[in-house]
Amino acid sequence: MPPMDWSQIGNAPIFERGNYFSPGRYKLRLLRCLSKQTQKSGVAFISEFEVLESDNPVHPIGSKGTFFVKMANPQQGFSNIKEMVVAILGFDISNPEHLRQIERDLSPQLANLMTALETQGTAVLGGRDTVSVECRIIQTKAGNDFTLHVWSPWTPPPGWTPAPTPATAQMPQRTAAQPATAPQGYPAAYAPPAFAPPALAPQAVPQGAPPAQSAGGPPSWLGPK
């Protein structure tokens, strides 16, 4: 299927909640994003992550996990995806100033960013591909269990190594995934950095995708200022 039409994601509201992963706290690296037609849930958006740190032995270091968003309700789906993406880009939605910057500076560019992320991969994020998430089970109004995802910014500081996953010392271990060297200029402890990814080479717009913005040069996606 062609890339999802992201033209409405900039207008999606942010709710401080999310969607699926077993309960626990995780440090993750985004590997890829795709949208696809599923047999059970219709159109869905799927993000695949590598686990860098975990407090749940179900998801040990080096394993992979997915964040699955049903798009049957596009506004809710786009909001869930937006919460994940803004955290990866370094924005903290509990910070009112970050929320203002998201709506003023980032939201108008999200459609182009998401299309590029689906078609060109995580390189378009300019080195920002890590995030922290807490997952917990809540009940819906209908009484069904639902996995809430609470995303927050996280960048591995220089010299960071993964903490061992509890109860996995006796389990067969893969080699722990090591984070890439922090880009030049990143602080020793996390502070949301500003960044500008390299300009993307001109490419044909996939059928059904929104046209790239032409005014003001190539798109850029900035972290908090």
Side-chain angles (χ1 to χ4, degrees):
M1 64 178 287
M4 190 179 297
D5 179 1
W6 294 102
S7 59
Q8 297 304 309
I9 192 170
N11 297 323
I14 287 181
F15 306 109
E16 294 188 45
R17 60 180 189 273
N19 270 354
Y20 296 91
F21 245 102
S22 298
R25 294 181 176 87
Y26 308 98
K27 302 289 194 301
L28 305 174
R29 174 181 288 118
L30 180 64
L31 299 176
R32 64 171 183 153
C33 295
L34 69 152
S35 50
K36 62 183 294 185
Q37 181 74 34
T38 67
Q39 186 172 5
K40 183 177 179 181
S41 302
V43 176
F45 175 80
I46 301 166
S47 301
E48 183 176 282
F49 291 93
E50 178 185 14
V51 176
L52 301 181
E53 195 168 296
S54 166
D55 68 359
N56 187 335
V58 173
H59 300 285
I61 293 167
S63 64
K64 292 181 174 63
T66 57
F67 176 54
F68 183 95
V69 181
K70 299 177 184 178
M71 298 304 297
N73 180 334
Q75 185 181 54
Q76 181 65 60
F78 283 138
S79 292
N80 291 337
I81 298 163
K82 187 175 181 179
E83 290 159 15
M84 175 195 74
V85 172
V86 300
I88 291 173
L89 294 177
F91 292 94
D92 178 357
I93 64 173
S94 68
N95 182 321
E97 178 56 32
H98 284 199
L99 281 175
R100 284 191 286 271
Q101 291 181 33
I102 289 167
E103 297 313 316
R104 183 188 66 219
D105 302 327
L106 179 61
S107 290
Q109 303 184 70
L110 271 178
N112 284 336
L113 171 58
M114 295 306 300
T115 298
L117 188 57
E118 271 203 284
T119 58
Q120 299 175 46
T122 58
V124 301
L125 297 175
R128 288 207 53 87
D129 58 0
T130 56
V131 71
S132 177
V133 66
E134 179 181 353
C135 300
R136 53 182 180 264
I137 301 295
I138 62 172
Q139 280 205 326
T140 65
K141 292 181 180 179
N144 300 317
D145 286 346
F146 176 83
T147 305
L148 176 72
H149 289 60
V150 180
W151 304 94
S152 56
W154 177 71
T155 300
W160 174 87
T161 56
T165 304
T168 58
Q170 290 76 40
M171 296 173 61
Q173 294 289 306
R174 303 186 198 184
T175 301
Q178 297 297 322
T181 302
Q184 186 176 2
Y186 272 43
Y190 175 74
F195 76 98
L200 303 177
Q203 297 197 11
V205 177
Q207 186 176 2
Q213 297 175 344
S214 56
S220 62
W221 303 294
L222 302 178
K225 299 184 178 86

